[in-house]
Every structure is written in C-alpha cells, then in structure tokens.
Amino acid sequence: MRVLLKLELDCTVDAAWRAIRSPAVLREVVAPWLDLTSLEPGGLPTVWPEGSHRMRALAFRRFPAGDERVDVSYPGGLPAGVRMLRDAGGALTGPLAMFDRWDHRMAVSPLPGGRTLYRDQLLAHAGALDLVAWYPTWAFWQWRGARMKQLAPGWSFDPPGTADERAASAAAAAGAGV
C-alpha cells in the first residue's frame, strides 16, 4: 500500500526540518488518536538520531496499542535543497504489527516566500489485509497532514534568547545596514 501527502507549510524549511526530526512534534501530530512513549533508557530524544528507537503506542493516549520500532536514517544523494528523514521501523506488537514492511519518508524543501514543500510517502505491506488497512491508514495520514498544516506556523517561531533568534536578529540588522 502507498499513502502520499504533499503540502505547503507556512514555515521556513529549517523550522520544518527541525519539526519532522522531533519526537515531541510527532506526538503532537498524531494526537489525540495516538501517543508514543519511549522504551529506551533516558526517554525520547530531542531530535531523532540515526538508528533504532523502541516506543510504546497508546491509543487515545491511554490504552496500550503495541510496541513500535522507529528506525531513523537521513538519506543522502538528494537534489539540492531537499532534506529527508526515513523511518524503516514498524510495529513489533499490537494491531499495527499486521504490517510486515514499513517505509516512511518525509522530505522538505524550500518554496518562495519562506514557505516549505513537505512530501510524505508511506509504503507499507500487510499482505491480504492491505485492502482493509488502506483506508484507515490513509485517513490517519490525512489527519497528520492537517495537524502539520495547523502547527507549522508555530514552528517558525524561535523564542527570544535562542541561537536561532540571535542569528535572525543579526541577519536582520546586517540587512538594514545597522
């Protein structure tokens, strides 16, 4: 089965890139249908490092729905300006373990006006259950896309005192001739 999203997000490509690499943003995007808690020592990282990460899925943020493996890589060799996160993990237990293959890729690239083109592709295989699983998976991906569009304007905000805010202020001052 193949599920696709192609969205224009109201944030910079740098802000979108930080967001798709953030477990905290993942939790926001899948809420309220799912929540994810880490099964790793030290809990969820701030940014997904490459490698495998075990998590527990909770349906409606309360009911155990199985264990997952997020297997993150950052493919290279992409066209100029394109950044991609790939998750080749999948469910280990629970209802989503019906998928015996999981290949989720999220890519961002800049658009004019400081906006971002976001592309998302899920290739998953559940054998004979593909026909049954496709629509709920597609509907959940639409939810994720709607949440991303809703949350993206907030991703472009860097709080005062951060390195990003200082860099933006310095760039603005240099552009104004100050």
Side-chain angles (χ1 to χ4, degrees), residues 6 12-14 16-18 20-21 73-86 105-111 115-121:
K6 185 176 180 181
T12 66
V13 72
D14 290 332
W17 182 238
R18 280 191 305 272
I20 67 171
R21 294 181 305 137
S73 63
Y74 296 102
L78 301 170
V82 177
R83 296 179 234 177
M84 180 183 292
L85 179 150
R86 179 181 183 208
R105 297 171 190 233
M106 296 177 282
V108 294
S109 54
L111 289 173
R115 294 169 48 89
T116 298
L117 176 61
Y118 171 80
R119 288 161 293 187
D120 188 318
Q121 174 179 267

Side-chain angles (χ1 to χ4, degrees), residues 6 17 19-20 47 74-75 81 104 125-126 135 139 141-143 165 170:
K6 185 176 180 181
W17 182 238
I20 67 171
V47 174
Y74 296 102
H104 181 205
H125 183 263
Y135 183 76
W141 243 246
Q142 302 314 301
W143 172 262
E165 189 271 337

Side-chain angles (χ1 to χ4, degrees), residues 16 46 69 72 101 128 132 143 176:
T46 303
R69 182 175 57 91
V72 175
R101 191 169 53 236
V132 174
W143 172 262

Side-chain angles (χ1 to χ4, degrees), residues 65-167:
D67 291 351
E68 309 270 332
R69 182 175 57 91
V70 176
D71 190 3
V72 175
S73 63
Y74 296 102
L78 301 170
V82 177
R83 296 179 234 177
M84 180 183 292
L85 179 150
R86 179 181 183 208
D87 170 18
L92 302 170
T93 63
L96 295 178
M98 74 175 136
F99 294 107
D100 60 8
R101 191 169 53 236
W102 186 270
D103 185 0
H104 181 205
R105 297 171 190 233
M106 296 177 282
V108 294
S109 54
L111 289 173
R115 294 169 48 89
T116 298
L117 176 61
Y118 171 80
R119 288 161 293 187
D120 188 318
Q121 174 179 267
L122 172 65
L123 297 173
H125 183 263
L129 295 176
D130 272 353
L131 292 174
V132 174
W134 183 84
Y135 183 76
T137 305
W138 176 87
F140 183 68
W141 243 246
Q142 302 314 301
W143 172 262
R144 287 179 66 252
R147 289 287 292 153
M148 291 184 90
K149 284 187 73 82
Q150 179 185 34
L151 295 169
W155 296 339
S156 62
F157 175 71
D158 293 307
T162 64
D164 292 326
E165 189 271 337
R166 286 191 298 275

